[in-house]
């Protein structure tokens, strides 16, 4: 499989797919010659960072093992490299879960301008920990943060300033007021409003809100 992968062009989804398959076989091998195992590690490391969505999808099959091969976020030291950096961090989003949060935090601290990228994967992580450890360190300007369950709603307390929220929960006026208290918010998009009988909750964000969409 390693040899077959090398017959494909470097940095392509075809090579990535075959070498990921080899890595998965190595993960489940009861016994494997150390020379072969080392070759598998080297071929897997060469797949990082990915350069396209298809490569990211293939690497996601490695699960948590992919996290060990992530590049150093300091490789990308300017906003001009945002697309390249977002592909480098994409395996973190694909793996998700609590084990990926420390890796996401490192990238968020190094590149807070990737805020919209990290915000898009919130549902793949434990909401409280992800909000406190990752999103709180991101620049969320021009990012519409989607909240679709009550755990995410409670986690908003870790984010004192959010550009815009898209709330996809059916909440009462009182519940909205409590959830948005102490949060600076410029835009609010409410997608479910059957329980909303009034707008007194707006008093909690009156100092910052400029857009309301019902």
């Amino acid at each position: 499989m390693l040899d077959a992968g090398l017959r494909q062009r470097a940095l392509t989804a075809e090579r990535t797919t075959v070498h990921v398959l080899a890595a998965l076989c190595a993960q489940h091998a009861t016994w494997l010659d150390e020379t072969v195992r080392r070759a598998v590690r080297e071929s897997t490391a060469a797949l990082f960072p990915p350069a396209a969505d298809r490569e990211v999808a293939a690497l996601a099959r490695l699960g948590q093992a992919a996290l060990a091969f992530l590049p150093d976020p300091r490789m990308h030291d300017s906003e001009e490299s945002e697309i390249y950096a977002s592909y480098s961090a994409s395996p973190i989003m694909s793996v998700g879960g609590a084990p990926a949060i420390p890796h996401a935090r490192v990238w968020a601290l190094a590149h807070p301008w990737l805020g919209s990228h990290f915000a898009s994967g919130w549902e793949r992580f434990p909401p409280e920990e992800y909000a406190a450890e990752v999103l709180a360190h991101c620049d969320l300007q021009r990012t519409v943060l989607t909240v679709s369950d009550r755990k995410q709603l409670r986690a908003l307390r870790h984010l004192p300033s959010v550009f815009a929220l898209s709330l996809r929960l059916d909440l009462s006026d009182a519940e909205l007021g409590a959830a948005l208290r102490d949060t600076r918010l410029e835009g609010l998009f409410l997608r479910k409003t059957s329980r909303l009988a009034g707008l007194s909750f707006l008093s909690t964000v009156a100092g910052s809100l400029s857009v309301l969409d019902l």
Side-chain angles (χ1 to χ4, degrees):
M1 282 189 288
L2 294 178
D3 292 342
L6 292 175
R7 288 195 287 271
Q8 306 295 328
R9 288 187 299 111
L11 302 178
T12 62
E14 290 75 19
R15 177 180 290 192
T16 299
T17 298
V18 176
H19 280 185
V20 164
L21 182 57
L24 289 171
C25 289
Q27 282 183 23
H28 296 285
T30 303
W31 179 88
L32 193 62
D33 181 90
E34 183 56 34
T35 301
V36 177
R37 191 177 295 279
R38 184 165 52 250
V40 171
R41 285 197 298 266
E42 291 172 355
S43 70
T44 305
L47 302 176
F48 290 81
D53 290 333
R54 288 180 64 194
E55 293 174 49
V56 172
L59 291 172
R61 296 174 62 194
L62 293 172
Q64 293 182 24
L67 301 175
F69 297 96
L70 292 171
D72 187 333
R74 291 171 296 182
M75 290 172 55
H76 314 286
D77 58 2
S78 70
E79 292 195 21
E80 285 72 21
S81 65
E82 181 169 356
I83 294 177
Y84 189 60
S86 68
Y87 276 129
S88 299
S90 287
I92 300 173
M93 314 303 290
S94 297
V95 172
I101 288 180
H103 299 275
R105 174 184 168 84
V106 169
W107 276 85
L109 288 170
H111 302 291
W113 40 269
L114 283 173
S116 59
H117 182 72
F118 285 112
S120 67
W122 192 7
E123 73 280 357
R124 302 189 188 105
F125 298 85
E128 289 274 349
E129 293 87 339
Y130 194 68
E133 297 295 323
V134 180
L135 296 180
H137 301 290
C138 290
D139 178 1
L140 297 176
Q141 284 298 312
R142 305 299 163 190
T143 297
V144 178
L145 187 66
T146 298
V147 173
S148 55
D149 63 45
R150 291 182 179 275
K151 290 182 179 180
Q152 289 179 333
L153 190 67
R154 288 193 295 271
L156 287 178
R157 70 181 188 278
H158 299 295
L159 308 174
S161 180
V162 178
F163 173 69
L165 283 179
S166 176
L167 287 179
R168 302 184 181 185
L169 290 168
D170 201 0
L171 303 171
S172 68
D173 188 30
E175 287 174 320
L176 270 172
L180 299 178
R181 188 175 295 116
D182 302 324
T183 298
R184 181 173 178 79
L185 185 65
E186 294 183 37
L188 179 61
F189 303 87
L190 300 178
R191 293 295 172 252
K192 295 182 179 181
T193 58
S194 66
R195 295 179 58 207
L196 194 61
L199 296 176
S200 64
F201 73 90
L202 290 176
S203 63
T204 61
V205 288
S208 60
L209 193 71
S210 59
V211 175
L212 175 65
D213 186 290
L214 298 174

